[in-house]
Amino acid sequence: MSEPITLNVGGKLYTTSLSTLTSFPDSMLGAMFSGKMPTKRDSQGNCFIDRDGKVFRYILNFLRTSHLDLPEDFQEMGLLRREVDFYQVQPLIEALQEKEVELSKAEKNAMLNITLDQRTQTVHFTVREAPQIYSLSSSNMEVFSAHIFSTSSLFLKLLGSKLYYCFNGNLSSISSFLKDSNHLTLDWVAPVEGLPEEEYTRQNLKRLWVLPANKQINSFQVFVEEVLKIAMSDGFCVDSSHPHASDLMNNKIIRLIRYK
């Protein structure tokens, strides 16, 4: 074993050996640590690589073992692909391609289950009638909750790229609310006539939009229609046993399936 070398990759420190870093001489790392390319140093004298430090662990482990080992819930395939392309370790590029094909095949068979709850809520708000005159008003609003489960994490990412919350005057993708790769919970309200825009923000009331259709989702029917469009474009079909197709818009539990 050669002497240990400490790398600073995007702020994360890794300690390995020169023989590991040069195990694939034709790679970027092989060129850097064989003296064919100059290397940078940080303030501590460690070799510095200005790339993502988090996913570098998978690249380094491949150099050590020649196996690409990823956790089952790995969510950063796109980032890893870009980093692997930068380091140009050809066997790793091929191993990653094989992994992506494997994941794609596993994703083809999938189930999508949607449970929707709808209730009416009274909202109280003030209306400015004149510079110094305010009146208290109230109105009923429809509140929706959708609990979505899919065995395909890629489909939930697709859904997250199409649906947007409207809050505080801005649209934000629900992808940022996707904490679990297989579960997604949405909560939103239908617009209320006469409710000032600032009241939605003050009372933490989100509305839901679908893009690129630029359509506001203000009913259970519109939500189901739009989700069905997205799901069917991704190969899903309605599970004929639950619910019956003729009762699809009246059912609060919808199950879709996708076969290879």
Side-chain angles (χ1 to χ4, degrees), residues 5-8 13 39-48:
I5 296 177
T6 298
L7 306 181
N8 178 344
L13 299 180
T39 58
K40 297 179 181 179
R41 301 278 174 173
D42 65 11
S43 59
Q44 304 301 314
N46 301 314
C47 294
F48 176 72

Side-chain angles (χ1 to χ4, degrees), residues 50-108:
D50 190 16
R51 301 295 298 187
D52 187 85
K54 183 179 178 181
V55 301
F56 183 74
R57 59 174 296 198
Y58 305 111
I59 297 167
L60 182 57
N61 282 337
F62 184 88
L63 299 182
R64 292 165 172 159
T65 66
S66 294
H67 291 282
L68 177 58
D69 297 307
L70 300 176
E72 290 186 2
D73 60 346
F74 186 68
Q75 299 294 311
E76 297 183 297
M77 192 64 74
L79 174 59
L80 179 59
R81 189 187 309 115
R82 288 189 292 273
E83 294 305 295
V84 167
D85 183 64
F86 171 79
Y87 291 108
Q88 284 297 300
V89 180
Q90 191 58 39
L92 176 55
I93 293 174
E94 295 169 2
L96 183 59
Q97 290 172 344
E98 292 176 4
K99 176 68 73 173
E100 290 183 308
V101 170
E102 176 187 324
L103 291 174
S104 176
K105 287 181 178 178
E107 285 272 356
K108 286 183 179 178

